[in-house]
């Protein structure tokens, strides 16, 4: 269903939206400001009204949205399911610990063959995964060379320094190398080497299994969503972005298995954006995630739409996360996989401006498009049409990848 057709009907007046971020240490207020700014921009482009108000429900961080689209009024409460504290704790490591993470993570992906199978899907996210390894090794090499230059200088001065010149040279070497490594780490806000290394190491540490603290938080999230499903709303929409997509898969699978989705309750919808599911599901101990992918893909209790774009080099664009993980059941229904088509839904001028801003493009799904097609984040989260109705007749992208690629397909620990 295209945007024009969707605007002629209404099956949602009230909506609860739960946004699950990716591996992000930043306070969730950034998502409110992004929604406010980009929503206003999209409304001006597409000719509807959208406005944010303070959050009306207690507990979670979020905001209230009022919209008028094609004369139809909708209210939505958007809440962020926060795990940024867990992310920050996982990033609190020393420089030597980060290099130890590099060795363990590289070994897990390379020795098991997962990296080479991931390359058969999309080169972009694999290059993104290799980037922190290469950058950190380059930083280490630069530090050692700078230290060696200091050592060589001390050696040249040794006739005037007397006994102990070698010991002094080694001290200078170590001091220069360490100082340069610390400088590189301080500049990581621009280089992202440490950040990305921590990101990939977090999944590889338990070889695709969820760390205990994350499992506990996901249980909390499941309870929050289950409570919303008893609320007087028309749709409960769960949005999983980047790494948040695979968290959402397991949370929703747990809810349905436990019978916590009321048969006569609100419509349940799941929108996965810019997903990187194969980075986890291809690991040898990702039994739970693979089982949840298989289970969720056949359920009638929800609608699952997966949106990516080849222009996003950090996502596994158009890779059906269930099929490529090798766990698609015979009665598979979900997800509906299609492209946000960055190169068509953004003007040539806007695309040229964003083309090489890789991290910004990874968040484009949450932003305005100046030439929107049938994907509009703000119509999905604050519009009068449910996710299932909006895309009821939408075919999947013909160029999607839906063949089994993962070496590991076990779904039982």
């Amino acid at each position: 269903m295209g945007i024009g057709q969707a605007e002629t009907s209404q099956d949602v007046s009230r909506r609860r939206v739960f946004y699950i971020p990716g591996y992000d240490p930043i306070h969730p207020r950034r998502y409110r400001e992004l929604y406010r700014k980009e929503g206003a921009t999209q409304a001006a482009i597409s000719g509807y009204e959208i406005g944010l108000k303070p959050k009306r429900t207690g507990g979670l961080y979020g905001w209230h949205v009022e919209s008028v689209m094609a004369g139809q009024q909708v209210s939505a409460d958007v809440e962020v399911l926060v795990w940024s504290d867990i992310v920050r704790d996982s990033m609190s490591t020393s420089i030597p610990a980060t290099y130890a993470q590099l060795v363990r993570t590289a070994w897990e992906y390379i020795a098991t063959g997962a990296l080479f199978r991931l390359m058969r899907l999309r080169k972009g996210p694999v290059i993104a995964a290799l980037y922190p390894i290469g950058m950190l090794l380059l930083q280490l090499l630069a530090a050692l060379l700078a230290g060696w230059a200091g050592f060589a200088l001390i050696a040249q001065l040794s006739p005037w320094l007397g006994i102990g010149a070698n010991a002094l040279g080694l001290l200078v070497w170590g001091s220069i190398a360490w100082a340069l490594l610390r400088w590189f780490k301080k500049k990581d806000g621009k280089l992202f080497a440490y950040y990305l290394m921590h990101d990939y190491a977090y999944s590889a540490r338990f070889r695709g299994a969820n760390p205990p603290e994350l499992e506990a938080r996901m249980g909390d999230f499941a309870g929050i969503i289950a409570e919303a499903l008893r609320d007087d709303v028309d749709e409960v929409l769960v949005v999983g972005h980047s790494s948040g997509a695979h968290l959402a898969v397991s949370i929703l699978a747990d809810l349905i298995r436990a019978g916590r989705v009321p048969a006569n309750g609100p419509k349940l919808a799941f929108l996965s954006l810019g997903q990187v599911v194969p980075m986890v599901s291809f690991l040898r101990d990702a039994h739970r995630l693979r089982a949840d992918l298989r289970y969720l893909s056949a359920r009638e209790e929800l609608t699952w739409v997966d949106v990516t774009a080849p222009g996003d080099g950090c996502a596994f664009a158009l890779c059906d996360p269930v099929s490529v993980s090798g766990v698609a059941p015979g009665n598979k229904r979900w997800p509906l996989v299609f492209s946000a088509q960055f190169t068509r839904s953004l003007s040539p001028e806007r695309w040229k401006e964003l083309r090489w801003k890789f991290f910004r493009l990874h968040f484009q799904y949450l932003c305005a498009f100046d030439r929107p097609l049938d994907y509009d984040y703000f119509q999905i989260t604050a519009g009068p049409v449910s996710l299932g109705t909006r895309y009821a007749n939408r075919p999947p992208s013909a160029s999607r990848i839906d063949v089994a690629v993962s070496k590991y397909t076990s779904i039982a620990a």
Side-chain angles (χ1 to χ4, degrees):
M1 175 178 293
I3 289 175
Q5 184 181 352
E7 288 179 345
T8 64
S9 60
Q10 178 170 15
D11 63 349
V12 176
S13 296
R14 295 186 61 209
R15 178 186 284 110
R16 294 283 297 274
V17 181
F18 295 97
Y19 174 77
I20 306 179
Y23 186 88
D24 187 351
I26 306 299
H27 191 279
R29 73 171 64 90
R30 71 179 296 187
Y31 297 109
R32 179 195 65 197
E33 291 308 303
L34 186 68
Y35 195 101
R36 179 189 61 78
K37 176 178 177 291
E38 296 292 331
T41 301
Q42 190 68 69
I45 292 169
S46 300
Y48 52 74
E49 299 175 26
I50 189 168
L52 273 63
K53 296 181 179 180
K55 184 171 178 285
R56 301 192 306 184
T57 54
L60 299 176
Y61 185 90
W63 55 93
H64 181 73
V65 183
E66 297 282 350
S67 74
V68 179
M69 300 185 181
Q72 299 162 338
Q73 296 184 345
V74 179
S75 66
D77 288 295
V78 183
E79 298 164 279
V80 182
L81 298 183
V82 179
W83 60 294
S84 54
D85 56 321
I86 295 176
V87 173
R88 286 193 297 272
D89 289 344
S90 74
M91 296 176 72
S92 300
T93 55
S94 65
I95 292 173
T98 300
Y99 278 92
Q101 283 184 339
L102 184 156
V103 174
R104 290 195 301 269
T105 304
W107 175 261
E108 179 60 31
Y109 278 101
I110 295 173
T112 63
L115 183 67
F116 305 105
R117 288 177 178 267
L118 290 168
M119 289 181 69
R120 290 165 55 184
L121 297 178
R122 291 287 180 185
K123 300 295 191 296
V126 175
I127 292 172
L130 292 174
Y131 166 77
I133 296 175
M135 178 56 73
L136 287 172
L137 291 177
L138 188 62
Q139 291 177 10
L140 179 61
L141 178 61
L144 292 175
L145 288 175
W148 176 84
F151 177 85
L153 178 61
I154 295 297
Q156 290 294 322
L157 298 175
S158 60
W160 293 275
L161 295 175
I163 299 174
N166 285 340
L168 179 60
L170 290 173
L171 179 61
V172 169
W173 190 340
S175 298
I176 293 175
W178 182 250
L180 191 54
L181 285 174
R182 291 186 63 185
W183 182 83
F184 280 131
K185 188 174 183 182
K186 288 181 180 178
K187 297 295 182 181
D188 202 60
K190 295 183 178 180
L191 298 174
F192 299 107
Y194 281 82
Y195 165 71
L196 287 172
M197 190 70 259
H198 296 320
D199 186 354
Y200 297 119
Y202 190 69
S203 298
R205 178 185 173 192
F206 291 98
R207 303 189 298 192
N210 293 322
E213 68 277 7
L214 184 58
E215 276 288 351
R217 187 65 55 85
M218 289 164 62
D220 295 340
F221 293 166
I224 293 166
I225 297 171
E227 183 177 350
L229 286 166
R230 297 193 296 270
D231 200 358
D232 182 23
V233 295
D234 302 302
E235 182 181 48
V236 172
L237 171 65
V238 178
V239 180
H241 178 230
S242 192
S243 299
H246 76 257
L247 272 62
V249 166
S250 291
I251 292 166
L252 291 170
D254 285 350
L255 277 173
I256 297 173
R257 282 196 196 98
R260 302 176 78 180
V261 178
N264 298 317
K267 298 178 177 68
L268 177 59
F270 172 32
L271 176 66
S272 50
L273 300 172
Q275 55 90 5
V276 290
V277 169
M279 286 299 298
V280 183
S281 66
F282 278 37
L283 295 175
R284 48 185 160 172
D285 286 348
H287 313 292
R288 166 159 161 64
L289 176 56
R290 289 190 290 265
D292 295 339
L293 285 165
R294 180 180 178 86
Y295 179 79
L296 200 67
S297 70
R299 302 308 303 181
E300 298 181 356
E301 291 89 342
L302 87 169
T303 297
W304 177 7
V305 175
D306 181 73
V307 180
T308 51
D312 174 13
C314 296
F316 281 91
L318 300 181
C319 295
D320 184 316
V322 179
S323 297
V324 300
S325 299
V327 293
N331 60 339
K332 178 178 178 293
R333 300 168 57 94
W334 311 113
L336 168 64
V337 176
F338 69 86
S339 175
Q341 303 182 72
F342 288 176
T343 56
R344 293 184 58 218
S345 54
L346 294 169
S347 64
E349 298 78 17
R350 185 62 173 151
W351 175 245
K352 183 178 179 180
E353 180 184 349
L354 296 176
R355 178 67 184 89
W356 303 109
K357 297 180 180 179
F358 299 113
F359 288 98
R360 170 59 178 78
L361 280 173
H362 194 45
F363 283 85
Q364 179 58 39
Y365 311 97
L366 313 178
C367 298
F369 292 88
D370 58 354
R371 291 187 177 178
L373 299 174
D374 66 345
Y375 172 77
D376 179 330
Y377 183 64
F378 305 98
Q379 287 205 30
I380 291 171
T381 55
V385 180
S386 65
L387 190 71
T389 301
R390 176 173 292 278
Y391 295 115
N393 300 315
R394 211 298 184 182
S397 290
S399 58
R400 73 191 182 282
I401 302 172
D402 59 359
V403 295
V405 178
S406 178
K407 173 182 178 181
Y408 301 101
T409 58
S410 60
I411 57 175

